[in-house]
Each structure stands twice: as C-alpha cells, then as structure tokens.
Amino acid sequence: MRIRFVKTICIIFILCLLTSNISFAAESQTENENYSDIDYLKSVMDMIRDRYKGNVTEEQLIESAINGMFSAMDQYTEFFDKKEADSFFSDIEGSYVGIGVRISSQTNDICVVEVFESSSAAKAGIIKGDIIVKINDVNVEGKTSEEVANLIRGKAGTKVNLGIMRPGQKQLLNIEVERSEVKINPVTYRIIDDIGYIKLDIFNSNSSINIIKALKEMDNNNISKLILDLRDNPGGELSQVIKIAEKFVPEGLITKLDFQSEKMEDELYYSKNKELKYKLVVLVNGLSASASEILAGAIQDTGAGVLVGTKTYGKGKVQNIYPVLSPEAYKRYSKELGATILDAYDLINNYDIIPSEDEIIGWAKITTGEYYTPKGRMIDGIGLDPDYYVENTYIVNGVDIRTIDTLSKQVRINVNDKSIDVLNAEKILKLLGYNIAKPDMIFDKESAAAVYEFQKDNGFYPYGVLDFATQQALNDKLENLILECDKQMAKALELLKK
C-alpha cells in the first residue's frame, strides 16, 4: 500500500489533477458551537460503547461516520476503505497483481472468459473456456467471481494452484501459476475494408499509449476514415483523455475545468494539433460518461467528427481523491507539527512526510468542480445529443446479442462436455433459429443435433461435433449478426463510405 500511495502522488485520477494544494487541513477553531458539534459526535460514540452489546471497534465507528457524511453529498462523492481503494486504483491505473485472466460466474461455475496476452496464465497453459474448480485445493463451486478473483490474487512472485476442468480431459488439470503484475489494455481495433475501428473501454493509465499504437497501425495501412467507439466507456483519468484528444481535436481548447475552491485555479487544456488526419465518427450511448463526454464533446464542438448513437450519460462534474489519515496518525502529527492535518497530501506538500500504510484509514473521492466543452457547454445531467440519433436492437429470438462472446477454438467439444464455449455456441445457434430450448454450458444431444443441422446447412461434414472449423463458422455468423443488430455501427460505416 505504501508503494501504491507514493505512486498515486504522480497520477491523475478521474477528471482532476492531483497538483492543487487543496486539503482537509482544519483551521484552528475557537467558536464554542464548533466544539459543541465535536462533543456531540463524541457523546454518540461514548453512548454506543457504553450500551451496545456486541463487538465494534473505534475505527469501525469512525469509518461508518465518515461514510455517512460522504453519502449526504452527490452520487460521485464517496469514501473508500483500503480494500475499496485498492480496487479503485487498479481500475484507474489499469494494472493489478494476479495471473492475467478474466473470469465469469456462469450456472454455478467459474469460467475463464479471457486470458490476457503474455500473462503468467497464458504462459502456464490456461486457456479461454477453462472452468476453475479448485484454488489451492479449495473447492470454489458456488462462489462468486469476485470471491474467486480474491482467492487468485496475491503478492507478486507467489504461486497459486488451479484445478481446471477442460473439455476432452477426463481428469482435473492442476496448473500452477505465478502471480505477477498484469497490465490491462482497454483498446481493441481492427480494419473493416478501408475503415479503421477503435474501441476504448476506459481511460486508464494504459489508454493513450495503446490508442497511439492503434493509430500507428491505421497509418501504416493508409487508413484515413475512422470509427472511435466510446460506448459503455465510464470515463477515467483526465491526463489520458487530454493525450487522446490531442490526436483528434484541432488546435484550440479541449476542455475547461472550473473548481469550487478558491485555492484551486481553474484549468484549461488545449490541443496543438494543426493537421487532422482522419474523417471521424464517434459512437456513444447512455453509458458513455465523464472523460468519454469530454472527448466526444470536444470532437463535436470543434467539428473534428460527428457523434452517432444515443444521448450520453451526462456527467459534467470532476472529482479529486485524497488520502485520509487515521485518528491515531491525525493526533500524532497534530501534536508533532502543531497543525491539524487530515489530508495526507498536506504532509507531503507542506512537511515532506510520506505516511505509512497504517497511517491511512481510507481515501475520499470528492466532487471539486465542473468541466465545460470548447463551446462552453456544461452537460451535467443533460448529456451530449448525437449528430445522428440511432438506437440498437439487441434482443433476437430471445437472446441478448451483447451477452455472447466468440468461441475460443482451443478444444473440440463432444457430447457431455462442459464449457463456456458451449453456452456461446448455443446462443449463436438460437439466434440463427436452430432448436435450442435454453442455452447452457452442457453439450447435450440437443446441442449436438443443432450443430449437426448447422454443419449440414453450411457445407460441412455433419457429425454434431463442435470442431474448430464449426466454431470459426459460428464466429463468422456472430460477427455478421452483430453488424446487422448494431445499427449505430452500420450508420457510422454508411457515413464514412460516402
């Protein structure tokens, strides 16, 4: 935690820089009413200690009181305990210590739905579609994916043993994997004919470098027409959205941050881009929020591209995150320094003291200001209206196409095999109109019969086995179905082909 704490000093979180001197340092209070407020809260804690027949620590009472105060403010202001803060920082930093898999809880099983490239899991031989049955000889049946993820994670350099069930294997596979730092790449891209497509899932610390890699690939292939997909992107770091905006927004203002406190100067961010390379369409929806709206709003206001989709979320507020000293540390530093300090950043900025892990009780994420688009629009609670309003169709034959993943093509699947690939294959077959009553993870006789019919209809040797060629054919059908259902994507392609 101490290493992470030092690291966060230099990191920009959410939509605000950690460079201001704003703090929780309390001024010396002499008014009697202030003391009476403090005495009142102390009396409440004394009453609980005296009358509550149960186990509760002073730290738990204080954390609960802090949480209560933060819950009285807007929905974006909250208090994180250390465990919650670690999870938050992992999302924003785009890294964590683990083995490099994404798991999902399906029909009481824990399935590997993605293995990150070059991860320790990939090197150990774990593949997409594996079912995790045990972790260090502990049965995980019935546990949530979050509970299992916590069991898998640990200190870098330590090892974890996974009991894996895999189609085609009669016995449980025992695979030992070393834990290491995993960096999450939120960028995927491909080229559709002569049009580039880039999907950005979140603005974490790895976003801009991977967007730059994607754009280099586009440039190497002489791509001048581009779709930037910000759908379902909840936002992230301000520094990242500015770096990315500079690639798409012409010379001029990108955004302005207007802060509440007089101690925090308003901040304006500019692009120096004098030559726009791409004819650009940006895809947005109701879950495109915060940093996504900064980028989309700047592109729309400057005419650098057009927005296609539905109205965005409408989060125009910015937050800073501050480390909060524990009561013990607060008392000790107040005595040593002669100043009442609650925000640990004050110790660093004003006294050159870096507190230890034990001296931090949690982290406070507070709304500190608002941002504006280049044309001065404040979109909080309003959102951005797309230039072309297009709604998507997601449900076909009772199946939500958004819940389907491509088949892994890692193993052949026969009758009685169990795999996440079976679930996805059955969903695709049901979408296509084949007889699948209810998609599940068991490749039963009904599944085999549907595969047999699909193979016969598509020129394959029909024998009801989910082999690699059939899996690829189903993946191809899924891609076509997604394009048919994704009317927003279709509109973007239409605009760029003109």
Side-chain angles (χ1 to χ4, degrees), residues 407 412-415 421-430 432-436 442-474:
L407 309 186
R412 286 161 48 101
I413 296 174
N414 294 277
V415 173
D421 278 338
V422 176
L423 178 63
N424 287 314
E426 289 180 340
K427 286 183 177 180
I428 299 170
L429 289 165
K430 189 173 177 64
L432 293 170
Y434 291 93
N435 184 29
I436 297 290
I442 306 296
F443 196 71
D444 54 19
K445 292 181 179 180
E446 178 189 72
S447 313
V451 168
Y452 178 94
E453 292 299 323
F454 175 81
Q455 290 169 330
K456 187 171 66 172
D457 293 342
N458 289 273
F460 295 101
Y461 174 72
Y463 68 130
V465 173
L466 199 54
D467 56 27
F468 297 152
T470 305
Q471 290 182 46
Q472 181 59 56
L474 286 169

Side-chain angles (χ1 to χ4, degrees), residues 198-318:
I198 300 176
K199 178 79 170 74
L200 177 59
D201 293 328
I202 192 171
F203 291 87
N204 69 22
S205 297
N206 306 317
S207 295
S208 62
I209 190 170
N210 285 293
I211 284 286
I212 290 170
K213 287 180 182 178
L215 292 176
K216 283 183 179 178
E217 184 68 19
M218 299 301 165
D219 294 343
N220 290 338
N221 286 276
N222 298 315
I223 298 298
S224 61
K225 300 174 181 179
L226 197 65
I227 297 170
L228 178 61
D229 194 344
L230 298 180
R231 292 176 295 185
D232 302 325
N233 184 320
E237 291 185 36
L238 175 65
S239 65
Q240 293 294 310
V241 70
I242 297 302
K243 289 177 182 177
I244 293 169
E246 289 172 345
K247 300 297 179 182
F248 300 110
V249 176
E251 187 175 20
L253 184 65
I254 295 171
T255 189
K256 174 187 175 182
L257 270 58
D258 179 22
F259 294 107
Q260 170 68 22
S261 174
E262 293 180 359
K263 297 178 182 179
M264 300 176 70
E265 292 185 7
D266 293 346
E267 295 168 355
L268 286 79
Y269 294 91
Y270 293 92
S271 171
K272 298 178 180 179
N273 189 348
K274 295 184 178 181
E275 182 182 359
L276 297 182
K277 289 184 178 180
Y278 312 104
K279 183 178 180 181
L280 182 64
V281 174
V282 182
L283 299 179
V284 293
N285 65 8
L287 294 177
S288 303
S290 198
S292 294
E293 293 174 296
I294 286 183
L295 179 55
I299 289 170
Q300 188 178 52
D301 275 10
T302 59
V306 296
L307 309 188
V308 171
T310 57
K311 184 188 285 287
T312 61
Y313 183 84
K315 180 180 182 290
K317 296 180 177 180
V318 299

